[in-house]
Amino acid sequence: MRRAATLVLAAAVVAAPWLVAVVVPRQQRYLLHVLIFTALFATLALSYDLVVGHVGSLSLAHPAFFGVGAYAAAILATRAHWPFLADLLAAALAAAVVAALVGVPLFRLTEHAFAVGTLGLALVAGIVANNWVEVTRGPLCITGIPKPVLGLPGGPMVAITTLPGYYWLALAALVAVALLYRRLTTFRLGRAFHAVRDNEPLAGAAGIDPLRYRMLAFTIGAALAGVGALYVHYLSVMCPEEMTVALTVNLLVIVFLGGVGSLRGVLLGAVLFTALPEVLRLAPTWRLVIYGALLLLVVVRSPEGIESLLRRVSGARAGR
Amino acid sequence: MALLEVRGLVKHFLGVTAVDRVDLVVEPGELVSLIGPNGSGKTTLFNCITGYLAADDGRALFRGRDLTKAAPHRVARLGVARTFQQVSVFPRLSVLDNLLVFLQQHQEEHLLARLLRTRRVRRLEAEAVARARRMLDLVGLTARADAAAGSLSYGQRKLLAFAGALMPDPDLLLLDEPAAAVNPTMINQMKEHILGLHRQGKTVLLVEHNMDVVMDISQRVVVLDHGQKIAEGSPEAIRRDPRVIEAYFGR
């Protein structure tokens, strides 16, 4: 029964472009755009949750890693004419290298100081993006980023030019990141991450090096934030405004109101909090008020996120 | 060679000398208790030995290896296990996972192997699970194996923390007040567990306030007062030692 429901859901997610075309043909482009953004934000939120949800470090630096990846891809694709997959890899690598370099000093700070330190990193990254005009073109933005072309040199090439094509590309990235996320957060690795999160001194007594596992989550999270590359290939433009604190706020809402540390919760959060603001466009005047009120409601009624609310409901139905 | 040798250990906190040139030797297989009034430096000494605090002077040697500069996880992997005075578990991990955490780091597989879940890693995991189940049996927590550790009672968490320390089969066990704030039945249970370890040949260093427990099971007792070692000897000798009586009851 549950398995069947999951299969139907998966089929619907894959077939979404066709479903949208059949059900609401007039809104097709707009809805697909929302779906693509949902997939991209879900991927980014999963990469973020590796740090905040699984090693319990409240990093606010994610826009910096997203930005490093996005700019690396944008610059390599427009000036050096690198193929898409190569600049995607380079973007992930660049973000990971930055995380590895700043991680060790940042993790010397604890709790609130760490959050402030990572916020500082994000702000500095934004200032650099705005002012290092020779490289980033500053507020003029990097434009004309080509459409992604999949394939290896010498083999067949597929250019992604349509909205459904983009959707499936973003979905594939999301599935890949979700599988890696699950690998990392369960079994022995996940247990070590969670031990560090739950009780750092005791983790030390268990033979776990807390810094090593924090750095691992931080660096992999940053590398996966390199999906910024996918984002800029989709929009074909990268501007400094893409990497402001607003992005952190979005990610915090998705992760904490969806369900921190939970794959299902983060996915749910990404769907709800990317789609919800769009749905609320029906009432443009009150949009932000309603959105804010709904966020408050979730925080008050289910502080652990919507995922835990669903778990309680399904638990009650199962008669527990 | 002594298993643990503490030489002239000193630790200051803001002008207070919490541990003042303490010497302590624990031979393999011994069961030694460390006692003293509140604030006499027992836990500070534990923390210096296990890497949680950096000593200001002196050394702690485990099998001749200096522990004073090592981080807690390094000390643990050398074979020194410890428990904490405040009951310490991983509240959101299951009871079983709480125990598995303590063994997996000692099995030292490569990070990539852990990510790929190679056959060797899966075999090590199966061994760890089997050992963890035996430990749960030993402390009577089998029925709670899948519960979150945070949902256990105080005494159960204490037993879980104790079982966790035993998971990697450590050579030296430092127990910080295992019998504090638990009911009399559990105190007896703890006593039996500690004596059981001693019979198996394990080396135990115990910090404990409960004098009945200390006098019952220790081979040797070391007394600290104001950071200094003021007496050392058999339980009977310590009970009659005037310096100890003075430290505890005043002049």
Side-chain angles (χ1 to χ4, degrees):
Chain A
M1 180 59 197
R2 250 195 87 130
R3 205 180 164 76
T6 311
L7 278 175
V8 169
L9 183 66
V13 167
V14 172
W18 295 309
L19 292 178
V20 168
V22 172
V23 181
V24 270
R26 292 174 62 193
Q27 299 274 337
Q28 192 190 355
R29 291 188 63 82
Y30 167 66
L31 283 176
L32 273 176
H33 175 73
V34 172
L35 286 176
I36 291 166
F37 257 64
T38 305
L40 289 173
F41 266 100
T43 312
L44 205 53
L46 284 177
S47 74
Y48 185 52
D49 191 46
L50 281 178
V51 184
V52 292
H54 293 281
V55 291
S57 298
L58 185 60
S59 164
L60 303 176
H62 230 55
F65 304 133
F66 169 83
V68 166
Y71 271 112
I75 291 164
L76 288 171
T78 54
R79 295 202 199 142
H81 304 291
W82 278 34
F84 168 68
L85 287 177
D87 77 50
L88 180 67
L89 272 179
L93 200 63
V97 167
V98 173
L101 289 177
V102 299
V104 173
L106 279 175
F107 279 118
R108 285 184 168 271
L109 308 169
T110 50
E111 301 195 5
H112 306 99
F114 175 80
V116 173
T118 52
L119 179 64
L121 177 68
L123 294 177
V124 167
I127 292 168
V128 169
N130 255 310
N131 292 284
W132 199 10
V133 179
E134 300 81 30
V135 174
T136 64
R137 290 174 44 95
L140 291 176
C141 305
I142 295 184
T143 52
I145 301 163
K147 304 288 172 213
V149 178
L150 294 177
L152 297 169
M157 299 289 203
V158 185
I160 308 284
T161 51
T162 63
L163 279 173
Y166 264 113
Y167 172 72
W168 285 314
L169 181 62
L171 191 62
L174 173 59
V175 170
V177 168
L179 288 175
L180 182 62
Y181 174 99
R182 212 169 56 180
R183 273 269 142 155
L184 286 166
T185 58
T186 53
F187 203 57
R188 287 155 93 90
L189 272 176
R191 210 181 277 141
F193 284 141
H194 298 160
V196 172
R197 173 194 69 191
D198 277 10
N199 192 334
E200 181 171 336
L202 188 63
I208 295 170
D209 179 356
L211 180 62
R212 183 180 154 92
Y213 282 89
R214 289 228 160 93
M215 282 299 292
L216 190 66
F218 194 61
T219 312
I220 295 177
L224 296 181
V227 287
L230 223 60
Y231 184 83
V232 296
H233 277 283
Y234 172 59
L235 293 181
S236 84
V237 49
M238 177 62 193
C239 298
E241 299 93 81
E242 302 290 348
M243 46 190 292
T244 57
V245 176
L247 177 60
T248 310
V249 174
N250 254 332
L251 292 175
L252 286 171
V253 167
I254 291 176
V255 168
F256 281 92
L257 298 194
V260 65
S262 144
L263 177 62
R264 216 164 63 130
V266 173
L267 292 181
L268 203 64
V271 171
L272 284 179
F273 296 106
T274 315
L276 191 62
E278 302 297 333
V279 173
L280 292 177
R281 279 179 203 278
L282 297 174
T285 318
W286 294 97
R287 185 168 154 247
L288 289 176
V289 177
I290 300 172
Y291 186 60
L294 283 173
L295 292 189
L296 270 176
L297 188 72
V298 175
V299 171
V300 171
R301 298 298 304 177
S302 183
E304 282 164 50
I306 293 175
E307 201 263 346
S308 80
L309 191 71
L310 288 188
R311 224 177 324 135
R312 262 179 288 159
V313 170
S314 66
R317 210 180 290 154
R320 277 189 292 164
Chain B
M1 189 181 9
L3 192 64
L4 177 71
E5 188 178 351
V6 177
R7 271 194 241 145
L9 202 107
V10 177
K11 180 69 193 175
H12 304 287
F13 289 122
L14 299 169
V16 178
T17 307
V19 175
D20 191 358
R21 284 163 294 163
V22 167
D23 297 313
L24 173 70
V25 173
V26 181
E27 299 292 339
E30 264 194 309
L31 204 175
V32 180
S33 285
L34 196 57
I35 64 169
N38 281 327
S40 58
K42 307 177 298 284
T43 298
T44 305
L45 182 60
F46 259 31
N47 285 338
C48 289
I49 294 171
T50 49
Y52 284 86
L53 288 173
D56 294 315
D57 198 11
R59 302 213 287 170
L61 304 171
F62 176 69
R63 293 206 169 107
R65 293 181 67 159
D66 194 353
L67 300 181
T68 10
K69 297 278 181 290
H73 68 274
R74 295 261 164 240
V75 175
R77 290 203 211 165
L78 286 174
V80 181
R82 70 164 294 177
T83 62
F84 293 83
Q85 196 176 334
Q86 290 81 22
V87 179
S88 213
V89 296
F90 301 110
R92 288 196 270 170
L93 295 189
S94 75
V95 168
L96 185 67
D97 275 346
N98 261 268
L99 295 187
L100 295 175
V101 159
F102 276 88
L103 184 52
Q104 65 177 32
Q105 297 306 120
H106 293 259
Q107 295 177 323
E108 296 266 356
E109 74 272 14
H110 194 274
L111 217 53
L112 203 60
R114 197 174 268 191
L115 184 65
L116 297 175
R117 301 181 188 176
T118 57
R119 190 183 299 177
R120 191 177 103 83
V121 168
R122 278 177 282 141
R123 181 174 52 77
L124 289 174
E125 173 78 358
E127 287 169 16
V129 170
R131 179 165 173 82
R133 297 243 176 241
R134 285 200 300 278
M135 284 297 158
L136 287 180
D137 262 351
L138 179 77
V139 296
L141 286 174
T142 301
R144 303 302 306 273
D146 298 321
S151 73
L152 297 181
S153 73
Y154 183 86
Q156 286 174 324
R157 273 181 279 165
K158 209 142 199 173
L159 287 169
L160 180 61
F162 176 74
L166 294 181
M167 272 300 284
D169 197 19
D171 299 315
L172 174 63
L173 198 62
L174 305 181
L175 301 175
D176 200 348
E177 301 201 17
V182 296
N183 66 48
T185 321
M186 186 98 57
I187 289 178
N188 280 327
Q189 222 177 322
M190 258 311 169
K191 237 163 73 176
E192 284 312 311
H193 284 313
I194 297 167
L195 279 174
L197 290 175
H198 180 55
R199 280 193 293 270
Q200 287 168 36
K202 294 270 162 235
T203 314
V204 181
L205 181 60
L206 182 71
V207 163
E208 187 50 69
H209 269 301
N210 187 316
M211 280 307 147
D212 294 337
V213 173
V214 169
M215 295 303 167
D216 257 21
I217 67 178
S218 321
Q219 289 178 294
R220 187 154 59 88
V221 179
V222 175
V223 189
L224 292 186
D225 187 30
H226 292 106
Q228 292 178 332
K229 185 162 88 174
I230 57 166
E232 179 169 4
S234 68
E236 299 76 41
I238 290 299
R239 215 194 295 263
R240 292 190 305 265
D241 192 309
R243 285 165 304 180
V244 177
I245 295 166
E246 187 192 314
Y248 269 90
F249 302 109
R251 214 181 282 268

